[in-house]
């Protein structure tokens, strides 16, 4: 069984410095939620409050409607995977997974539970292996099996994949999400990896300056950011000011109801077309070949800042060179605007 989690009007100061200010967040039962934000935004502090390692100055922390703010970590029915995994190197894999069952005096048939958890994380038969002999990916799986062994109602993940190399990290994203779905435990993760947050989460929560900047699905956060900060923080973006007459150069668009605002154009929203096709002319100032994609920076006569363009390499045939003229176009079926930051 899992629980919904709710934070209400949470504030916390440490050493006279305000770290969290009026944080409000609701995590639906059984969902996978990621806290994302720049360093110092308050995401790790929020996770520590949920874990019971820090006590807020005011506000509520509700697990299934019960305020657990004053309960110690051991009384909150949590599973926690730490950034460094905190695996006991002198123990076997089985002893590590069994540890919370023994410490919390849960059940007596520990062998079956340990075996079930190791099968869940694809480490069946590893019970007798020493933890010190495992790879980083295997240690991550052991930490997850141990966190789930005691059947927690809420699972907390602190940068769970940050110690893995890129290829293994991407593979583990799919596996971790699949395990979470199978177990059904409410999961709250902290990460600095934007791709990880977008690909794994039912709900992405971006924090900034100790507050929740915006919360929503990955699509909502990326395609419909509510603020200039979020538009700039979550992936690359071109922000084009809308003039008093509603024009938004170099695009051929009129947005008289959005004067003074910024049009959000993601690099992949711009298309490279034929030089005699619709759109506007640009000059390539920088090229990055990234395998399946091209990242271009281009200058245009009507824009003081370069535009960033991301295009699939498939079918393009060749990589544009610096100084080359290209023709860019944009699909106007969807336009999104944000107010400029104060």
């Amino acid at each position: 069984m899992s629980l919904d989690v709710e934070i209400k009007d949470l504030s916390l100061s440490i050493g006279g410095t305000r770290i969290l200010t009026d944080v409000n967040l609701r995590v639906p039962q059984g969902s996978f939620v990621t806290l994302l934000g720049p360093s110092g935004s308050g995401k790790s502090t929020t996770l520590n409050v949920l874990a019971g390692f820090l006590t807020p100055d005011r506000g509520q922390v509700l697990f299934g409607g019960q305020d657990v703010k004053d309960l110690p970590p051991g009384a909150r029915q949590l599973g926690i995977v730490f950034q460094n995994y905190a695996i006991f190197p002198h123990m076997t894999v089985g002893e590590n997974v069994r540890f919370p069952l023994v410490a919390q005096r849960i059940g007596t048939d520990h062998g079956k539970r340990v075996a079930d958890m190791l099968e869940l994380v694809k480490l069946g038969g590893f019970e007798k292996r020493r933890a010190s002999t495992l790879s980083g990916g295997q240690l991550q799986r052991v930490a997850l099996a141990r966190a789930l062994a005691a059947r927690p109602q809420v699972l907390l993940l602190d940068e769970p994949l940050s110690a893995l190399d890129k290829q293994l990290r991407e593979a583990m994203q799919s596996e971790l999400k699949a395990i979470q779905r199978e177990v059904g435990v409410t999961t709250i993760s902290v990460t600095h990896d934007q791709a990880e947050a977008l690909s794994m989460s039912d709900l992405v929560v971006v924090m900034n300056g100790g507050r929740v900047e915006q919360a929503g699905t990955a699509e909502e956060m990326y395609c419909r950011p509510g603020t200039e900060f979020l538009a700039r923080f979550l992936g690359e973006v071109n922000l084009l000011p809308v003039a008093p007459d509603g024009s938004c150069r170099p695009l051929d668009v009129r947005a008289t109801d959005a004067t003074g605002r910024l049009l959000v154009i993601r690099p992949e929203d711009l298309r490279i077309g034929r030089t005699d096709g619709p759109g506007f002319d640009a000059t390539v100032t920088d090229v990055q070949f990234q395998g399946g994609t091209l990242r271009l920076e281009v200058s245009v006569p009507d824009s003081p800042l370069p535009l960033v363009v991301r295009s699939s390499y498939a079918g393009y045939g060749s990589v544009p060179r610096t100084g080359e003229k290209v023709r860019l176009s944009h699909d106007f079926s969807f336009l999104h605007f944000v107010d400029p930051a104060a």
Side-chain angles (χ1 to χ4, degrees):
M1 179 182 176
S2 63
L3 299 173
D4 60 0
V5 175
E6 190 169 6
I7 297 173
K8 291 185 176 181
D9 302 321
L10 195 72
S11 293
L12 171 67
S13 296
I14 299 177
T17 300
R18 179 61 63 89
I19 308 299
L20 301 176
T21 303
D22 298 327
V23 174
N24 288 276
L25 176 64
R26 186 178 182 279
V27 178
Q29 178 182 350
S31 62
F32 193 116
V33 175
T34 298
L35 306 182
L36 181 67
S39 297
S41 62
K43 57 186 185 297
S44 293
T45 301
T46 301
L47 196 76
N48 283 324
V49 170
L50 289 168
F53 301 143
L54 293 172
T55 302
D57 302 327
R58 63 182 179 84
Q60 293 180 295
V61 178
L62 305 173
F63 286 9
Q66 177 189 359
D67 193 346
V68 300
K69 182 180 63 177
D70 297 322
L71 290 180
R76 298 191 182 198
Q77 295 181 286
L78 295 171
I80 304 176
V81 177
F82 297 97
Q83 185 174 357
N84 62 359
Y85 308 144
I87 298 298
F88 302 119
H90 63 287
M91 291 184 178
T92 65
V93 168
E95 289 168 343
N96 267 279
V97 177
R98 185 180 293 108
F99 180 81
L101 301 174
V102 175
Q104 299 177 43
R105 300 178 182 179
I106 298 174
T108 55
D109 190 7
H110 295 165
K112 183 178 186 308
R113 183 61 178 170
V114 169
D116 289 346
M117 290 298 96
L118 290 178
E119 286 292 337
L120 179 68
V121 299
K122 300 182 180 179
L123 287 179
F126 274 61
E127 289 92 334
K128 302 299 183 182
R129 290 276 297 272
R130 286 284 172 184
S132 57
T133 68
L134 303 183
S135 67
Q138 291 169 334
L139 288 173
Q140 197 270 351
R141 295 168 193 261
V142 174
L144 182 59
R146 184 179 62 183
L148 294 173
R151 295 183 173 86
Q153 296 181 328
V154 178
L155 177 65
L156 303 181
L157 307 176
D158 181 14
E159 300 275 8
L161 307 179
S162 63
L164 307 180
D165 61 57
K166 182 177 184 296
Q167 187 173 1
L168 182 56
R169 184 168 64 247
E170 291 176 351
M172 284 303 301
Q173 289 173 11
S174 297
E175 289 195 28
L176 180 55
K177 180 60 180 175
I179 291 170
Q180 188 269 337
R181 284 199 188 102
E182 182 174 344
V183 176
V185 64
T186 304
T187 302
I188 303 171
S189 179
V190 162
T191 185
H192 67 278
D193 188 316
Q194 297 183 8
E196 179 182 314
L198 293 175
S199 64
M200 295 176 63
S201 309
D202 300 311
L203 186 72
V204 179
V205 180
V206 172
M207 300 191 69
N208 179 31
R211 300 176 184 270
V212 173
E213 184 80 11
Q214 186 174 331
T217 66
E219 181 184 9
E220 290 169 344
M221 301 291 278
Y222 187 77
C223 299
R224 295 180 288 279
T227 63
E228 180 183 349
F229 168 83
L230 184 58
R232 292 186 183 279
F233 173 74
L234 206 56
E236 287 191 292
V237 69
N238 302 294
L239 295 175
L240 306 180
V242 181
D245 65 355
S247 62
C248 190
R249 308 304 302 168
L251 301 184
D252 185 18
V253 61
R254 288 284 173 178
T256 55
D257 57 344
T259 58
R261 307 188 77 195
L262 300 171
L263 175 60
V264 178
I265 302 292
R266 294 293 182 184
E268 59 273 17
D269 293 337
L270 294 169
R271 301 284 184 267
I272 303 175
R274 299 191 312 272
T275 55
D276 59 347
F280 57 94
D281 293 320
T283 303
V284 177
T285 59
D286 185 66
V287 180
Q288 294 178 16
F289 176 69
Q290 300 175 336
T293 60
L294 298 174
R295 181 190 181 278
L296 308 179
E297 289 189 12
V298 302
S299 64
V300 294
D302 295 315
S303 176
L305 299 175
L307 299 180
V308 178
V309 183
R310 192 177 301 278
S311 174
S312 170
Y313 178 65
Y316 191 81
S318 63
V319 178
R321 299 187 180 279
T322 301
E324 184 175 335
K325 301 291 185 181
V326 294
R327 189 77 172 169
L328 300 179
S329 61
H330 178 264
D331 180 1
F332 297 109
S333 60
F334 172 73
L335 296 177
H336 181 73
F337 301 89
V338 294
D339 292 324

